[in-house]
Amino acid sequence: MFKMADNYSSSKENKEEIDKNLKGNEKKKFEINKYLPYILIILVLVVVIVLFANLSSELNGISNKLNSLSSAKPTTSVTPNSTTENSTILSDPSYNITGSLIVPPKSLPNDPVITANASFGSRLTNINQPLNKSELALFNNANDSYFEEAGQMILNGTFGGYVFGSTVGSNAEVKILDNPFVVNGKPSVIYFGSTTCIFCGENRWAMALALGKFGNFSELYKGYSSFGDHDIPTIYWAPAHYNQSAEDLGNFYSSKYINFISIEDDLPITGGFQLNPMSTIGARINATNNSVYINAFKFILQLNNFQGTPYTIWGKYNVLGADDADFGFKSEPSGNPSIEYKTHNMVFDNISHPNSEFGYLEYAGADLYIAMTCASINNTAPICSLPVIPKLESYEGYN
Amino acid sequence: MIAINFKSKKLSILKDIFSKPLYLAILVVAAVLYYFLLYTIIYMSSFRGIVILTVPVYMFYLLVITSAILITISIYGIRKRIAIKDATAGGVVSVVMPSVGGLVAGCGCSAPLLSSLLIPVLGSIGAEGILSYLSAYNVYILGILTVINLLLVYYQLHLLSR
């Protein structure tokens, strides 16, 4: 009897324990269910953050590898005036051609100079106005000491992350080509950009300073980036079709060391950044029947590494983007570059007497372009003997 | 009369949510988080991390605020155990909207994040074509994302008011 009572009480205890456990489990299950939606939302947030944090560098690495694989494919070598193409296995396309460069018109009746003043951000005052002699001299006869000073500032790390000229690493800004694009026996600087693009607008100042050290501009023109890309003051290589969809081909540059081949895509400047489809740009270039420009654009397409504008080639060096980007934004509200609030005269003043971050950064950007060009022409131009240039060639991996 | 009743019921739920300190705190924290999320993605999508905003600043803030409101209402719905699946979906969407917005709010002339996504599939030329169109319509895209947030807020309030 006692045994039965014992059995009864222990089974009752067991049952109570089982009930307790069940209730506990139900409570736990209920709590997990209660927090599951929050967990899901937080999980999505974490995934998004981690995904974007890693995606850029990982996919950049993948796309760089894919690009290097595709550009390592066999290509044909083009010889001038040949009726048949020679099949030669090369790692990068090779061009050695003769021909004349395009000289653009000095004015465009449908895109006249605008003299009316307007507020910053929607301002086209003096667009397509040619630079006068003293303004041109800022680029044709820029003081060597400013290039030297800015170059030293690059080497000292003064500019932090705002100068981009490295050839090292999978995310390098500069790719070394096997062969420059040679026209009439000279290597070429090729520029492909857009009048609507803010980075092109900023970088043309540095480009003009660099090109001025190897040759001479007989004409340059005042311009702006598009309203949607902050309407910053810039210079154009030729009068721009700022009201329409078109290509501005050619410039007024001459040099005994290099050619300057400029392809500027246009869309209405009152809009935002936009690029015409490559097929459209190619068709317009083909319509000129100019073999230099046709082959230059073909060269760009064959390199197969276009990631945005500005896209430039300096002899043997292919720069994937701007090489400096100073919009003077440190003192301005987030997203509004302070150069947007400057007139052309203010920028000219900054360049003629660089006493600001903007001025020196433009010379720094120019220094990198100069170093690339010097490395491509065996340092034959006088500017190449500036003390800082060979140091920059070494520093950035151009030799 | 019925329409007015429905309207005032949604409004009274809104009032109920945002009159409580807890949900106000959630709104503020969510707004701060989403601001940094949107800004960070713009930063990562920009050339060398140089942020150039090519949409009006107010659209940036509108997207942040509407996403924060959406997640606050979603959390309310989850806590009240009303339409949990829809509330959870609303919360997830509130995270996705600023993420997508960040991809297009910077300068399209150089968009490394989107380029990385598109180049392996389309090649560099094809990718640039798409980037160009996204850049041209980025203001409209941000507008659509904000409207989606608002529609989901309305839908969630509709479910909560049943």
Side-chain angles (χ1 to χ4, degrees):
Chain A
M1 202 159 97
F2 289 120
K3 203 177 174 183
M4 275 174 68
D6 275 343
N7 284 345
Y8 176 75
S9 65
S10 68
S11 72
K12 196 178 172 193
E13 277 167 8
N14 284 342
K15 198 180 172 202
E16 278 173 1
E17 211 178 305
I18 289 167
D19 282 345
K20 213 176 172 181
N21 283 339
L22 271 173
K23 277 184 187 163
N25 285 342
E26 277 174 9
K27 200 176 175 190
K28 272 187 203 164
K29 225 197 276 183
F30 178 76
E31 279 178 357
I32 288 170
N33 278 343
K34 189 179 170 187
Y35 293 114
L36 194 59
Y38 303 118
I39 293 167
L40 197 61
I41 292 167
I42 291 169
L43 203 64
V44 170
L45 185 64
V46 166
V47 164
V48 160
I49 290 166
V50 169
L51 193 70
F52 283 119
N54 287 321
L55 197 58
S56 182
S57 56
E58 295 219 6
L59 287 180
N60 261 333
I62 292 170
S63 67
N64 283 338
K65 278 182 192 163
L66 286 173
N67 282 336
S68 61
L69 279 171
S70 63
S71 59
K73 284 180 189 164
T75 58
T76 53
S77 165
V78 178
T79 51
N81 302 322
S82 61
T83 49
T84 56
E85 285 179 349
N86 300 318
S87 293
T88 315
I89 306 287
L90 298 165
S91 54
D92 271 333
S94 170
Y95 286 82
N96 190 340
I97 59 178
T98 55
S100 57
L101 273 61
I102 293 175
V103 179
K106 289 191 180 182
S107 65
L108 298 169
N110 293 334
D111 305 277
V113 176
I114 293 174
T115 52
N117 221 336
S119 50
F120 293 110
S122 51
R123 195 166 185 270
L124 295 175
T125 310
N126 297 327
I127 191 170
N128 275 354
Q129 184 183 75
L131 269 60
N132 61 35
K133 276 187 186 162
S134 60
E135 289 162 350
L136 278 173
L138 292 176
F139 303 99
N140 291 330
N141 299 311
N143 196 320
D144 282 359
S145 65
Y146 299 144
F147 292 98
E148 179 70 25
E149 214 172 323
Q152 290 298 339
M153 289 163 92
I154 297 173
L155 297 170
N156 295 338
T158 307
F159 296 121
Y162 295 111
V163 176
F164 328 110
S166 177
T167 55
V168 177
S170 61
N171 210 23
E173 300 97 2
V174 179
K175 187 190 163 205
I176 303 175
L177 302 174
D178 291 324
N179 310 291
F181 186 84
V182 176
V183 179
N184 302 330
K186 295 184 289 185
S188 305
V189 171
I190 302 176
Y191 163 86
F192 175 37
S194 167
T195 49
T196 60
C197 159
I198 187 173
F199 285 96
C200 303
E202 193 278 345
N203 217 231
R204 280 192 218 96
W205 298 106
M207 286 186 62
L209 282 170
L211 287 165
K213 287 285 129 185
F214 297 95
N216 189 280
F217 285 100
S218 60
E219 304 277 349
L220 281 168
Y221 297 82
K222 293 175 188 173
Y224 294 87
S225 61
S226 60
F227 287 177
D229 252 24
H230 291 284
D231 187 36
I232 67 164
T234 184
I235 43 176
Y236 294 150
W237 312 124
H241 293 85
Y242 61 82
N243 274 326
Q244 54 204 286
S245 170
E247 312 311 312
D248 302 328
L249 304 173
N251 51 74
F252 299 92
Y253 180 77
S254 59
S255 162
K256 61 180 183 180
Y257 302 103
I258 52 175
N259 307 292
F260 178 39
I261 299 165
S262 55
I263 302 169
E264 194 91 72
D265 186 60
D266 289 315
L267 274 157
I269 204 150
T270 50
F273 165 74
Q274 197 172 354
L275 207 60
N276 277 302
M278 290 298 200
S279 53
T280 305
I281 298 171
R284 288 172 177 162
I285 293 173
N286 288 342
T288 64
N289 287 322
N290 182 285
S291 64
V292 173
Y293 274 75
I294 291 169
N295 282 303
F297 193 63
K298 213 162 124 185
F299 185 53
I300 291 171
L301 296 179
Q302 284 173 327
L303 289 173
N304 196 32
N305 57 10
F306 180 79
Q307 291 179 14
T309 52
Y311 178 94
T312 55
I313 297 168
W314 297 77
K316 286 192 317 187
Y317 302 92
N318 183 193
V319 188
L320 309 175
D323 80 335
D324 81 277
D326 182 29
F327 303 96
F329 49 79
K330 284 180 188 172
S331 57
E332 294 297 328
S334 161
N336 290 322
S338 73
I339 189 178
E340 180 179 344
Y341 304 101
K342 293 200 172 14
T343 62
H344 286 91
N345 286 343
M346 290 174 181
V347 180
F348 291 144
D349 191 53
N350 237 300
I351 284 176
S352 64
H353 302 99
N355 55 3
S356 68
E357 173 197 276
F358 175 80
Y360 278 118
L361 256 170
E362 295 312 313
Y363 279 95
D367 274 324
L368 295 183
Y369 290 141
I370 289 169
M372 288 176 216
T373 309
C374 285
S376 303
I377 61 171
N378 295 321
N379 298 305
T380 46
I383 188 66
C384 304
S385 55
L386 204 65
V388 79
I389 297 300
K391 290 179 193 170
L392 285 172
E393 289 178 30
S394 246
Y395 182 77
E396 301 286 6
Y398 302 156
N399 56 18
Chain B
M1 276 298 286
I2 293 168
I4 290 166
N5 278 339
F6 272 129
K7 238 187 184 180
S8 61
K9 203 167 183 189
K10 289 184 183 69
L11 281 174
S12 69
I13 289 168
L14 259 181
K15 193 181 161 193
D16 182 43
I17 294 172
F18 292 110
S19 60
K20 293 189 168 77
L22 172 66
Y23 294 103
L24 276 175
I26 290 170
L27 178 71
V28 167
V29 168
V32 168
L33 269 174
Y34 286 154
Y35 173 89
F36 280 113
L37 177 65
L38 182 51
Y39 186 87
T40 303
I41 291 173
I42 293 172
Y43 175 87
M44 283 194 280
S45 303
S46 301
F47 176 71
R48 303 291 158 186
I50 295 165
V51 173
I52 301 285
L53 207 59
T54 55
V55 296
V57 167
Y58 72 83
M59 293 200 69
F60 177 100
Y61 288 121
L62 260 178
L63 185 58
V64 166
I65 296 289
T66 53
S67 297
I69 291 172
L70 179 57
I71 192 153
T72 307
I73 295 173
S74 301
I75 289 171
Y76 177 86
I78 292 166
R79 283 174 61 88
K80 292 285 181 191
R81 318 299 293 162
I82 302 170
I84 293 173
K85 278 184 190 167
D86 296 291
T88 308
V92 167
V93 165
S94 77
V95 172
V96 170
M97 291 297 113
S99 312
V100 172
L103 290 174
V104 299
C107 180
C109 40
S110 195
L113 200 53
L114 270 179
S115 293
S116 306
L117 283 166
L118 295 171
I119 286 173
V121 178
L122 300 170
S124 54
I125 306 302
E128 185 53 35
I130 293 190
L131 281 173
S132 182
Y133 278 113
L134 287 176
S135 177
Y137 297 107
N138 62 355
V139 172
Y140 299 104
I141 291 170
L142 242 76
I144 288 168
L145 297 176
T146 306
V147 165
I148 290 173
N149 277 346
L150 289 171
L151 285 173
L152 280 170
V153 163
Y154 183 85
Y155 177 64
Q156 299 238 14
L157 288 173
H158 172 72
L159 290 175
L160 291 169
S161 64
R162 275 192 192 158

